[in-house]
Amino acid sequence: MSFELFEEYSLVLGIGGLILFMIFIVWNLAKESKAGRFGTFILFIALGLGLLGFVVKTVLVEVMGLGGQ
């Protein structure tokens, strides 16, 4: 396994783990604040837009070939 391949896998697993942890944090925040269904939905939409932006940016960079190679 090359260093570049290890680095790519580590990045994907690390960012994926952080995204899952952020989802857990938002869910826990909604539960602890007793936000209800609508409040939980709003929390996931509002805080999830940042995660969605990161994923969209990553996909666009790969599709457009702007990865700096």
Side-chain angles (χ1 to χ4, degrees):
M1 175 182 286
S2 69
F3 182 71
E4 290 83 14
L5 188 60
F6 173 74
E7 195 174 61
E8 183 178 342
Y9 285 157
S10 298
L11 180 68
V12 169
L13 289 174
I15 296 296
L18 286 174
I19 288 174
L20 289 174
F21 187 57
M22 291 258 313
I23 290 171
F24 169 74
I25 289 172
V26 172
W27 175 77
N28 196 29
L29 177 68
K31 188 175 92 171
E32 299 249 340
S33 66
K34 298 177 184 148
R37 272 192 199 159
F38 183 70
T40 303
F41 176 73
I42 294 299
L43 279 171
F44 271 104
I45 292 297
L47 298 176
L49 284 176
L51 296 174
L52 181 65
F54 178 79
V55 171
V56 168
K57 180 198 73 110
T58 304
V59 169
L60 284 177
V61 165
E62 290 298 321
V63 168
M64 295 176 71
L66 301 173
Q69 293 182 6

